[in-house]
mmCIF file of all heavy atoms in Angstrom:
data_model
loop_
_atom_site.group_PDB
_atom_site.id
_atom_site.type_symbol
_atom_site.label_atom_id
_atom_site.label_comp_id
_atom_site.label_asym_id
_atom_site.label_seq_id
_atom_site.Cartn_x
_atom_site.Cartn_y
_atom_site.Cartn_z
ATOM 1 N N GLY A 1030 55.663 76.566 121.654
ATOM 2 C CA GLY A 1030 54.325 76.063 121.949
ATOM 3 C C GLY A 1030 54.107 75.544 123.351
ATOM 4 O O GLY A 1030 53.059 74.976 123.639
ATOM 5 N N ASP A 1031 55.064 75.741 124.243
ATOM 6 C CA ASP A 1031 54.916 75.248 125.612
ATOM 7 C C ASP A 1031 54.946 76.442 126.577
ATOM 8 O O ASP A 1031 55.970 76.763 127.171
ATOM 9 C CB ASP A 1031 56.046 74.259 125.931
ATOM 10 C CG ASP A 1031 55.856 73.540 127.265
ATOM 11 O OD1 ASP A 1031 55.016 73.980 128.073
ATOM 12 O OD2 ASP A 1031 56.560 72.541 127.485
ATOM 13 N N TYR A 1032 53.792 77.088 126.712
ATOM 14 C CA TYR A 1032 53.706 78.309 127.535
ATOM 15 C C TYR A 1032 53.999 78.012 129.000
ATOM 16 O O TYR A 1032 54.632 78.826 129.684
ATOM 17 C CB TYR A 1032 52.336 78.967 127.367
ATOM 18 C CG TYR A 1032 52.210 80.306 128.059
ATOM 19 C CD1 TYR A 1032 53.015 81.384 127.682
ATOM 20 C CD2 TYR A 1032 51.293 80.501 129.079
ATOM 21 C CE1 TYR A 1032 52.908 82.610 128.312
ATOM 22 C CE2 TYR A 1032 51.177 81.732 129.719
ATOM 23 C CZ TYR A 1032 51.983 82.782 129.325
ATOM 24 O OH TYR A 1032 51.887 84.002 129.954
ATOM 25 N N ALA A 1033 53.598 76.868 129.504
ATOM 26 C CA ALA A 1033 53.865 76.514 130.903
ATOM 27 C C ALA A 1033 55.368 76.436 131.159
ATOM 28 O O ALA A 1033 55.865 76.955 132.167
ATOM 29 C CB ALA A 1033 53.185 75.202 131.273
ATOM 30 N N ASN A 1034 56.101 75.821 130.238
ATOM 31 C CA ASN A 1034 57.555 75.741 130.359
ATOM 32 C C ASN A 1034 58.169 77.129 130.274
ATOM 33 O O ASN A 1034 59.087 77.466 131.017
ATOM 34 C CB ASN A 1034 58.106 74.822 129.264
ATOM 35 C CG ASN A 1034 59.598 74.603 129.379
ATOM 36 O OD1 ASN A 1034 60.376 75.501 129.080
ATOM 37 N ND2 ASN A 1034 59.982 73.410 129.795
ATOM 38 N N TYR A 1035 57.649 77.933 129.338
ATOM 39 C CA TYR A 1035 58.111 79.316 129.183
ATOM 40 C C TYR A 1035 57.922 80.080 130.490
ATOM 41 O O TYR A 1035 58.835 80.769 130.950
ATOM 42 C CB TYR A 1035 57.339 79.984 128.036
ATOM 43 C CG TYR A 1035 57.603 81.455 127.889
ATOM 44 C CD1 TYR A 1035 58.712 81.918 127.185
ATOM 45 C CD2 TYR A 1035 56.742 82.398 128.446
ATOM 46 C CE1 TYR A 1035 58.952 83.275 127.049
ATOM 47 C CE2 TYR A 1035 56.979 83.752 128.313
ATOM 48 C CZ TYR A 1035 58.087 84.182 127.607
ATOM 49 O OH TYR A 1035 58.329 85.531 127.473
ATOM 50 N N LEU A 1036 56.745 79.944 131.106
ATOM 51 C CA LEU A 1036 56.482 80.631 132.381
ATOM 52 C C LEU A 1036 57.442 80.188 133.472
ATOM 53 O O LEU A 1036 57.959 81.024 134.220
ATOM 54 C CB LEU A 1036 55.047 80.386 132.844
ATOM 55 C CG LEU A 1036 53.956 81.162 132.151
ATOM 56 C CD1 LEU A 1036 52.594 80.727 132.686
ATOM 57 C CD2 LEU A 1036 54.150 82.654 132.323
ATOM 58 N N ASP A 1037 57.677 78.893 133.574
ATOM 59 C CA ASP A 1037 58.619 78.380 134.576
ATOM 60 C C ASP A 1037 60.008 78.996 134.379
ATOM 61 O O ASP A 1037 60.639 79.456 135.339
ATOM 62 C CB ASP A 1037 58.733 76.860 134.502
ATOM 63 C CG ASP A 1037 57.501 76.145 135.038
ATOM 64 O OD1 ASP A 1037 56.694 76.781 135.748
ATOM 65 O OD2 ASP A 1037 57.360 74.940 134.739
ATOM 66 N N ARG A 1038 60.451 79.002 133.149
ATOM 67 C CA ARG A 1038 61.782 79.553 132.850
ATOM 68 C C ARG A 1038 61.817 81.066 133.076
ATOM 69 O O ARG A 1038 62.805 81.600 133.575
ATOM 70 C CB ARG A 1038 62.191 79.220 131.420
ATOM 71 C CG ARG A 1038 62.481 77.750 131.228
ATOM 72 C CD ARG A 1038 62.766 77.445 129.770
ATOM 73 N NE ARG A 1038 62.879 76.031 129.540
ATOM 74 C CZ ARG A 1038 63.941 75.448 128.991
ATOM 75 N NH1 ARG A 1038 64.973 76.172 128.612
ATOM 76 N NH2 ARG A 1038 63.961 74.155 128.812
ATOM 77 N N TRP A 1039 60.739 81.741 132.691
ATOM 78 C CA TRP A 1039 60.666 83.194 132.869
ATOM 79 C C TRP A 1039 60.766 83.542 134.356
ATOM 80 O O TRP A 1039 61.565 84.394 134.757
ATOM 81 C CB TRP A 1039 59.354 83.730 132.274
ATOM 82 C CG TRP A 1039 59.282 85.218 132.188
ATOM 83 C CD1 TRP A 1039 59.533 85.981 131.085
ATOM 84 C CD2 TRP A 1039 58.934 86.133 133.237
ATOM 85 N NE1 TRP A 1039 59.356 87.311 131.390
ATOM 86 C CE2 TRP A 1039 58.986 87.432 132.702
ATOM 87 C CE3 TRP A 1039 58.573 85.981 134.559
ATOM 88 C CZ2 TRP A 1039 58.701 88.575 133.460
ATOM 89 C CZ3 TRP A 1039 58.295 87.117 135.325
ATOM 90 C CH2 TRP A 1039 58.362 88.387 134.771
#
Side-chain angles (χ1 to χ4, degrees):
D1031 188 346
Y1032 186 63
N1034 184 287
Y1035 173 83
L1036 283 177
D1037 287 344
R1038 290 175 187 236
W1039 190 98

